Amino acid sequence: MNLERAVLAGGCFWGMEELIRRMDGVEKTRVGYTGGDVKNATYRNHGTHAEGIEIMFDPARISYREILEFFFQIHDPTTLNRQGNDIGMSYRSAIYYVDEDQRQCALDTIADVEASGLWPGKVVTEVEPVGDFWEAEPEHQDYLQRYPGGYTCHFPRADWVLPRRDAAE
């Protein structure tokens, strides 16, 4: 099995990890810090990094586009540096692409989200090349598995679903 990598940021990493890990074709996830300026980032010292999630997925079972569509359904990509009660750069919306195909897919998905009129405002999601991903401390990994009633601001929004695209598109 050849796995591919996706790196996303959309607010507190716990909630994103818990929902994305359940997707068919997602083989592994880990949370951490990415997109910033501090080497060996930690929870107490992550500078301008966002809380992010690294996703290893089987492209024979789930596409990068499907992951992005779900990402846009479970967080609010229209709030700058904020998700729910979490405020600051750490909680920004961002897609960190690993190659040109992912970059183009991200831009196309954002354009489709914008054109749909389903979201409450303009998408502020950053699209940047992937850089270092600093794995978060053990207590942050699998957090909602260990604390099922723990805080999260992520949930699937039934009215934020893009119409299915034809395979020819």
Side-chain angles (χ1 to χ4, degrees):
M1 170 177 20
N2 290 327
L3 298 181
E4 291 186 16
R5 179 181 187 224
V7 178
L8 306 172
C12 176
F13 42 32
W14 300 334
M16 285 194 0
E17 180 183 42
E18 187 57 25
L19 294 170
I20 290 172
R21 75 178 339 138
R22 298 177 190 171
M23 299 178 78
D24 183 42
V26 170
E27 296 296 321
K28 183 179 177 188
T29 60
R30 66 180 180 145
V31 299
Y33 314 99
T34 191
D37 61 352
V38 173
K39 295 280 186 205
N40 302 307
T42 65
Y43 185 75
R44 298 268 180 245
N45 181 27
H46 58 267
T48 61
H49 285 293
E51 289 193 8
I53 177 172
E54 180 184 64
I55 305 154
M56 300 304 293
F57 66 98
D58 179 354
R61 293 176 40 217
I62 189 169
S63 70
Y64 184 66
R65 170 71 185 218
E66 289 170 312
I67 292 170
L68 292 183
E69 287 180 4
F70 189 64
F71 169 68
F72 282 112
Q73 186 187 12
I74 64 171
H75 88 291
D76 187 346
T78 70
T79 54
L80 185 62
N81 298 330
R82 178 180 191 152
Q83 289 299 309
N85 295 326
D86 297 327
I87 300 172
M89 282 188 73
S90 299
Y91 307 109
R92 68 186 178 270
S93 176
I95 299 168
Y96 299 101
Y97 59 87
V98 301
D99 60 24
E100 181 57 27
D101 288 340
Q102 282 192 358
R103 185 187 80 80
Q104 192 58 57
C105 184
L107 296 175
D108 291 347
T109 306
I110 290 169
D112 290 345
V113 166
E114 292 276 355
S116 75
L118 298 173
W119 280 256
K122 180 170 176 29
V123 172
V124 297
T125 305
E126 300 172 3
V127 178
E128 301 290 337
V130 72
D132 292 329
F133 185 92
W134 306 102
E135 185 172 0
E137 297 78 0
E139 63 267 23
H140 295 294
Q141 305 299 327
D142 308 314
Y143 184 85
L144 291 174
Q145 293 280 301
R146 292 180 289 114
Y147 302 100
Y151 171 76
T152 184
C153 59
H154 295 88
F155 59 93
R157 293 154 173 94
D159 53 343
W160 290 6
V161 178
L162 287 172
R164 290 279 36 136
R165 296 171 62 152
D166 292 335
E169 289 184 59

